[in-house]
Amino acid sequence: TFTKYKISSKEEENSEEVEGLEATQLTYAQVPIVQDGGNWLYEHADGEKRKVPSTWTFPMVSLRDIYVLWNCRNENQKIVPMKSFTSKDVSFLQKGSKNLAEVRGMMNVISKEAASKGFEIKEVMTTNEALNAFSAGVGALNIPLLTPQGKARDIARTKWSSASRFKQLPSETEKAAETAC
């Protein structure tokens, strides 16, 4: 299948559609403005240049998938790893900055744990590197392995937004004991 890219210009009547890269779903995206270092930037209606097109939505995907997007370039959609995003890049989205902060917190916990187990966390990783690091570090989120109904929870397939509610942070007394050491 092919992705169709809607190539937009300053004048909407001059827009055209062309077939583009191989993908599994129909996606409309702006043509990126390529800057130094091969990073893709997109000009938005407010004149700001951001790392995502104005048509981009915050991915509501599994914890494993968001970890891959966090660490890997999305060549099909021309988007850099999400860990390089700033608040400005997602400020045009409702809850964009809040979502980015939540995801950043969880991804940093996973990466820190993976690094402590000997995995190299690079600026840009391959999908396999990211998946291996994820497997090594996801346990650090302390997400309960059982649902309240007693069923097994597949943490890797849990949506990141759910995982942010499930994670068990150390209690205040555990934090105090750790800092006392």
Coordinates of all heavy atoms in Angstrom, one line a residue, residues 148-180:
P148 N -7.1 -5.7 38.8 CA -7.9 -5.9 40.1 C -8.8 -7.1 40.1 O -9.1 -7.6 41.1 CB -8.7 -4.6 40.1 CG -7.9 -3.6 39.3 CD -7.2 -4.4 38.2
Q149 N -9.1 -7.6 38.9 CA -9.9 -8.8 38.7 C -9.0 -10.1 38.8 O -9.6 -11.2 38.7 CB -10.7 -8.8 37.4 CG -11.7 -7.7 37.3 CD -11.1 -6.4 36.9 OE1 -10.0 -6.3 36.3 NE2 -11.7 -5.3 37.4
G150 N -7.7 -10.0 39.0 CA -6.9 -11.1 39.2 C -6.4 -11.7 37.8 O -5.7 -12.8 37.8
K151 N -6.6 -11.0 36.7 CA -6.1 -11.5 35.4 C -4.7 -11.0 35.2 O -4.3 -9.9 35.7 CB -7.0 -11.0 34.3 CG -8.4 -11.6 34.4 CD -9.3 -11.1 33.2 CE -10.6 -11.7 33.3 NZ -11.5 -11.3 32.2
A152 N -3.9 -11.8 34.4 CA -2.5 -11.4 34.1 C -2.6 -10.1 33.2 O -3.4 -10.0 32.3 CB -1.8 -12.5 33.4
R153 N -1.7 -9.2 33.5 CA -1.6 -8.0 32.7 C -0.4 -8.0 31.8 O 0.7 -8.3 32.3 CB -1.5 -6.7 33.6 CG -1.3 -5.4 32.8 CD -1.3 -4.2 33.8 NE -2.6 -3.9 34.2 CZ -3.0 -3.7 35.5 NH1 -2.1 -3.8 36.4 NH2 -4.2 -3.5 35.8
D154 N -0.5 -7.8 30.5 CA 0.6 -7.8 29.6 C 1.1 -6.3 29.5 O 0.5 -5.5 28.8 CB 0.2 -8.3 28.2 CG 1.4 -8.3 27.2 OD1 2.4 -7.8 27.5 OD2 1.2 -8.9 26.1
I155 N 2.1 -6.0 30.3 CA 2.6 -4.7 30.4 C 3.0 -4.1 29.1 O 2.7 -2.9 28.8 CB 3.7 -4.6 31.5 CG1 3.1 -5.0 32.8 CG2 4.3 -3.2 31.6 CD1 4.1 -5.2 33.9
A156 N 3.6 -4.8 28.3 CA 4.1 -4.3 27.0 C 3.0 -3.8 26.1 O 3.1 -2.9 25.3 CB 5.0 -5.4 26.3
R157 N 1.8 -4.5 26.2 CA 0.7 -4.2 25.4 C -0.2 -3.1 26.0 O -1.2 -2.7 25.4 CB -0.1 -5.4 25.0 CG 0.7 -6.3 24.1 CD 0.0 -7.6 23.7 NE -1.3 -7.2 23.1 CZ -2.3 -8.1 22.9 NH1 -2.2 -9.3 23.4 NH2 -3.4 -7.7 22.3
T158 N 0.0 -2.8 27.2 CA -0.8 -1.8 27.9 C -0.6 -0.4 27.3 O 0.6 -0.1 27.0 CB -0.4 -1.7 29.4 OG1 -0.6 -3.0 30.0 CG2 -1.2 -0.7 30.2
K159 N -1.6 0.3 27.1 CA -1.5 1.7 26.5 C -0.7 2.5 27.5 O -0.8 2.4 28.7 CB -2.8 2.3 26.3 CG -3.7 1.6 25.3 CD -3.4 2.1 23.9 CE -4.4 1.5 22.9 NZ -3.9 0.6 22.0
W160 N 0.2 3.4 27.0 CA 1.0 4.2 27.8 C 0.2 5.1 28.8 O 0.6 5.3 29.9 CB 2.0 5.1 27.0 CG 1.4 6.2 26.3 CD1 1.1 6.3 25.0 CD2 1.0 7.5 26.8 NE1 0.6 7.5 24.7 CE2 0.5 8.3 25.8 CE3 1.1 8.1 28.1 CZ2 0.0 9.5 26.0 CZ3 0.6 9.3 28.3 CH2 0.1 10.1 27.2
S161 N -0.9 5.5 28.3 CA -1.8 6.4 29.2 C -2.3 5.6 30.4 O -2.4 6.1 31.5 CB -2.9 7.0 28.4 OG -3.7 6.0 27.7
S162 N -2.6 4.3 30.2 CA -3.1 3.5 31.3 C -1.9 3.2 32.2 O -2.0 3.2 33.4 CB -3.7 2.2 30.7 OG -4.8 2.4 30.0
A163 N -0.7 2.9 31.6 CA 0.5 2.6 32.3 C 0.8 3.7 33.3 O 1.3 3.5 34.4 CB 1.6 2.2 31.4
S164 N 0.6 4.9 32.9 CA 1.0 6.1 33.7 C 0.1 6.1 35.0 O 0.5 6.6 36.0 CB 0.9 7.4 33.0 OG -0.4 7.8 32.8
R165 N -1.1 5.6 34.9 CA -2.0 5.5 36.0 C -1.7 4.3 36.9 O -1.9 4.3 38.1 CB -3.5 5.4 35.6 CG -4.0 6.6 35.0 CD -5.5 6.6 34.8 NE -6.0 5.3 34.2 CZ -6.2 5.1 32.9 NH1 -6.0 6.1 32.0 NH2 -6.7 3.9 32.5
F166 N -1.2 3.2 36.3 CA -0.9 1.9 37.0 C 0.4 1.9 37.7 O 0.6 1.2 38.7 CB -0.9 0.7 36.1 CG -2.2 0.4 35.4 CD1 -2.3 -0.2 34.2 CD2 -3.4 0.7 36.0 CE1 -3.4 -0.5 33.6 CE2 -4.6 0.4 35.4 CZ -4.6 -0.2 34.2
K167 N 1.4 2.7 37.2 CA 2.7 2.6 37.8 C 2.7 2.9 39.3 O 2.0 3.8 39.7 CB 3.7 3.4 37.0 CG 3.5 4.9 37.2 CD 4.6 5.7 36.4 CE 4.5 7.2 36.5 NZ 3.3 7.8 35.9
Q168 N 3.5 2.1 40.0 CA 3.5 2.3 41.5 C 4.9 3.0 41.8 O 5.9 2.4 41.7 CB 3.4 1.0 42.2 CG 2.1 0.3 42.0 CD 2.0 -1.0 42.6 OE1 3.1 -1.6 42.9 NE2 0.8 -1.5 42.8
L169 N 4.8 4.3 42.2 CA 6.0 5.0 42.6 C 6.3 4.6 44.0 O 5.4 4.3 44.8 CB 5.7 6.5 42.4 CG 5.4 6.9 41.0 CD1 5.1 8.4 41.0 CD2 6.6 6.6 40.1
P170 N 7.5 4.7 44.4 CA 7.9 4.4 45.8 C 7.1 5.3 46.8 O 6.8 6.5 46.5 CB 9.4 4.7 45.9 CG 9.8 4.7 44.5 CD 8.7 5.0 43.6
S171 N 6.6 4.7 47.9 CA 5.9 5.5 48.8 C 6.8 6.6 49.5 O 8.0 6.5 49.3 CB 5.3 4.6 49.9 OG 6.4 4.1 50.7
E172 N 6.2 7.5 50.1 CA 7.0 8.6 50.7 C 8.0 8.0 51.7 O 9.2 8.5 51.8 CB 6.1 9.6 51.4 CG 5.3 10.5 50.4 CD 6.1 11.2 49.4 OE1 7.1 11.8 49.7 OE2 5.7 11.1 48.2
T173 N 7.6 7.0 52.5 CA 8.6 6.4 53.5 C 9.7 5.7 52.8 O 10.8 5.8 53.3 CB 7.8 5.5 54.5 OG1 7.1 4.5 53.7 CG2 6.9 6.2 55.4
E174 N 9.4 5.0 51.7 CA 10.5 4.4 50.9 C 11.5 5.4 50.4 O 12.7 5.2 50.4 CB 9.9 3.5 49.8 CG 9.2 2.3 50.3 CD 8.5 1.5 49.2 OE1 8.1 2.2 48.2 OE2 8.3 0.3 49.3
K175 N 10.9 6.5 49.8 CA 11.8 7.6 49.3 C 12.7 8.2 50.4 O 13.8 8.4 50.2 CB 10.9 8.7 48.7 CG 10.3 8.4 47.4 CD 9.5 9.6 46.9 CE 8.7 9.3 45.7 NZ 7.8 10.4 45.3
A176 N 12.1 8.4 51.6 CA 12.9 8.9 52.7 C 14.0 8.0 53.1 O 15.1 8.4 53.4 CB 11.9 9.2 53.9
A177 N 13.6 6.7 53.2 CA 14.6 5.7 53.5 C 15.8 5.6 52.5 O 17.0 5.5 52.9 CB 14.0 4.3 53.7
E178 N 15.4 5.8 51.2 CA 16.5 5.7 50.2 C 17.4 6.9 50.3 O 18.6 6.8 50.1 CB 15.8 5.7 48.8 CG 15.2 4.4 48.4 CD 14.5 4.4 47.1 OE1 14.6 5.4 46.3 OE2 13.8 3.4 46.8
T179 N 16.8 8.1 50.5 CA 17.7 9.3 50.6 C 18.5 9.3 51.9 O 19.6 9.9 52.0 CB 16.8 10.6 50.6 OG1 15.7 10.5 51.4 CG2 16.4 10.9 49.2
A180 N 18.1 8.6 52.9 CA 18.8 8.5 54.2 C 20.1 7.7 54.1 O 21.0 7.8 54.8 CB 17.9 8.0 55.3

